[in-house]
Amino acid sequence: MKIAYFSCQMPYPATHGGLVDDWARLNAMKAAGADLALVTWYAEKGQGLPQAHVQALHTVASVVHTLPIQGTWSDRYKRLVRLARWPSHVSSRVPSKHALRALWASLDAFKPEAIWLDAIYPIWLARAAARRYGVPLFYRSHNIEHRYMRGQVSRATSLRDRLAWSMNLPHLRRVEFDAWRQAEVVFDISMDDLAWWREQGFAQGVWLPPLVNPEKASQLRAAWGPPPAFDVAYLGNLRTPNNVEGVLWFLREVWPLVRQQQPGARMLLAGSAPALAIEDAVKASPGVVLRPNPPDVVPVLRDARVLVNPIFGGSGVNVKSVEMLFAPARLVSSPQGVAGLPEAVSRCFAVAIDAKAFAQAVWQALQDGALRGTELAQREAARAQFDFERVGDVLRLMADRCAKAAAGASGRGQ
């Protein structure tokens, strides 16, 4: 199947949860035999894209188009004008006439049979492509985006961040509802979000969880050799307001209680672009080591006896929780950290909501030690939910809907 795949941001390197999900799916589609034309955006900072990143994109797609999000005054003015109809993140992804002509020439030669919209923000271009080629639009929903964005605005700790997040709110709910109305099928990351959309009257949603690359899964799940260097670890981006809120809560409220029970406890805090507030909190937290921008998540997730996800805001699914599931460590999470996942998966986590209960769950996990017997079997069954083979079902469903759409169009033309 030939798919024009519109990804809202550079999926490689996969440095945070949304990109991990996107990059794994691209690899899974390629492995399942899909022929992809990838259209994606990047922030233009005057240096262009590293050639190694472009080469990586060509390993999953036969056609690659990278479009810059530029910061010139002219581009900013055009985006401001478009805010009358579009959220800022959609507005910034409407290409220039010159870029659009080049893109159409390439996709005309590719002849896509389906359009894949990955996240809401490339919707202007994805919808135009679906009209141009007369093929169905399929949408991958990562969040109930308008609710997620409102939550980020409320959690932002600086005026600059609050304004930046707020600019994306106007029209976002309307645009997101339009995407659900126009999509042939919506592949939703979250079972909870899918239930919410069904309550709004949409019946074409299908659950598609994040997928874990088989090679990464094998590396993560291997039995420990040397014992982990840390008692506790957290891995996730360290800049979005909901993650910053959760990490600061853990460092200030939970970690002191853990250290009271186990005075020599050590924690590894790893993730991209740490906020200044997190750097300051780490300095005030005995036993905590900050590892910014780790190049590989596997060594981080395998270097602690307990992995934690203390997040309280957001929607969709925490991709970090899915990756944590494949490590041999015990797992502790807030309720939001396991939201949107099946019960068979959430049962693999100790779930706690207040600081005392969270600290007690961490301490108990440290006492319990390595997984054994039925715990291991439970973990293996949960991991099976995220196998690459799910993409085969996705492609078959897409092919079936495309065939029916083509037959309907042919019938109307007679």
Side-chain angles (χ1 to χ4, degrees):
M1 170 170 259
K2 298 172 75 69
I3 302 170
Y5 188 113
F6 292 84
S7 176
C8 77
Q9 54 188 326
M10 274 291 296
Y12 183 90
T15 54
H16 62 74
L19 298 185
V20 169
D21 177 47
D22 199 1
W23 184 242
R25 187 165 43 261
L26 284 163
N27 278 273
M29 285 185 169
K30 169 74 171 179
D35 186 7
L36 303 176
L38 175 62
V39 181
T40 188
W41 283 259
Y42 68 97
E44 174 56 72
K45 298 178 181 178
Q47 300 173 336
L49 278 173
Q51 191 58 35
H53 294 183
V54 178
Q55 290 172 349
L57 299 182
H58 279 285
T59 66
V60 296
S62 58
V63 175
V64 173
H65 271 273
T66 58
L67 299 170
I69 298 175
Q70 296 178 319
T72 66
W73 286 110
S74 173
D75 283 290
R76 288 173 180 170
Y77 173 74
K78 291 175 184 176
R79 291 204 293 272
L80 283 172
V81 170
R82 295 188 197 110
L83 290 180
R85 284 195 61 201
W86 300 103
S88 62
H89 289 2
V90 175
S91 175
S92 65
R93 287 167 175 81
V94 177
S96 68
K97 291 181 179 179
H98 174 74
L100 191 57
R101 282 195 298 270
L103 175 65
W104 289 148
S106 178
L107 290 183
D108 287 351
F110 180 75
K111 295 182 173 59
E113 300 168 295
I115 305 299
W116 182 278
L117 169 62
D118 209 86
I120 191 66
Y121 298 118
I123 188 169
W124 185 93
L125 191 51
R127 196 161 60 181
R131 289 195 301 265
R132 183 180 182 91
Y133 301 110
V135 298
L137 173 70
F138 298 89
Y139 171 39
R140 166 50 161 194
S141 176
H142 291 255
N143 293 292
I144 303 172
E145 195 70 18
H146 64 279
R147 295 171 64 182
Y148 172 77
M149 278 290 160
R150 282 203 305 268
Q152 297 292 47
V153 171
S154 69
R155 288 176 167 82
T157 55
S158 71
L159 178 61
R160 180 180 180 276
D161 286 348
R162 196 171 298 118
L163 288 173
W165 289 96
S166 295
M167 287 184 67
N168 200 45
L169 284 176
H171 313 294
L172 182 55
R173 189 179 191 276
R174 170 185 60 80
V175 169
E176 193 170 10
F177 270 75
D178 284 348
W180 273 81
R181 292 187 188 99
Q182 294 156 7
E184 185 72 22
V185 178
V186 178
F187 295 98
D188 203 303
I189 195 172
S190 164
M191 298 183 82
D192 293 348
D193 291 359
L194 191 57
W196 187 88
W197 284 108
R198 285 174 178 159
E199 290 173 0
Q200 313 311 307
F202 295 99
Q204 82 277 38
V206 174
W207 183 53
L208 177 61
L211 306 174
V212 178
N213 184 290
E215 182 179 352
K216 179 189 282 188
S218 178
Q219 293 172 349
L220 283 170
R221 75 198 333 157
W224 279 315
F230 295 89
D231 298 292
V232 179
Y234 169 90
L235 173 67
N237 91 68
L238 298 173
R239 66 184 184 279
T240 54
N242 59 329
N243 282 11
V244 171
E245 174 194 52
V247 170
L248 291 179
W249 173 80
F250 184 87
L251 292 178
R252 293 167 177 169
E253 306 294 331
V254 179
W255 186 242
L257 299 178
V258 174
R259 292 273 294 188
Q260 283 179 14
Q261 295 176 309
Q262 193 156 323
R266 299 182 69 226
M267 178 182 181
L268 174 60
L269 181 63
S272 59
L276 181 59
I278 286 180
E279 293 180 346
D280 290 342
V282 168
K283 293 174 184 175
S285 302
V288 178
V289 175
L290 177 62
R291 188 177 297 171
N293 308 308
D296 185 0
V297 303
V298 173
V300 175
L301 293 174
R302 289 183 53 80
D303 207 18
R305 295 191 289 148
V306 179
L307 300 175
V308 296
N309 187 7
I311 191 170
F312 292 96
S315 67
V317 160
N318 259 220
V319 178
K320 66 174 75 68
S321 291
V322 173
E323 292 194 318
M324 288 162 59
L325 189 72
F326 282 79
R330 290 188 178 271
L331 312 174
V332 181
S333 176
S334 63
Q336 183 61 47
V338 294
L341 294 169
E343 185 181 350
V345 175
S346 60
R347 280 201 306 265
C348 296
F349 293 74
V351 179
I353 194 165
D354 64 80
K356 185 177 180 180
F358 208 104
Q360 180 61 32
V362 171
W363 184 80
Q364 187 62 55
L366 290 171
Q367 304 314 301
D368 290 341
L371 298 170
R372 296 176 294 274
T374 56
E375 294 173 314
L376 283 171
Q378 183 183 59
R379 186 74 67 90
E380 277 300 314
R383 290 165 175 168
Q385 302 272 358
F386 309 100
D387 194 280
F388 262 26
E389 291 184 5
R390 274 187 176 270
V391 160
D393 295 333
V394 169
L395 295 179
R396 283 186 287 273
L397 176 57
M398 292 174 66
D400 177 68
R401 295 301 178 88
C402 288
K404 288 179 179 176
S410 175
R412 288 191 296 271
Q414 292 177 357

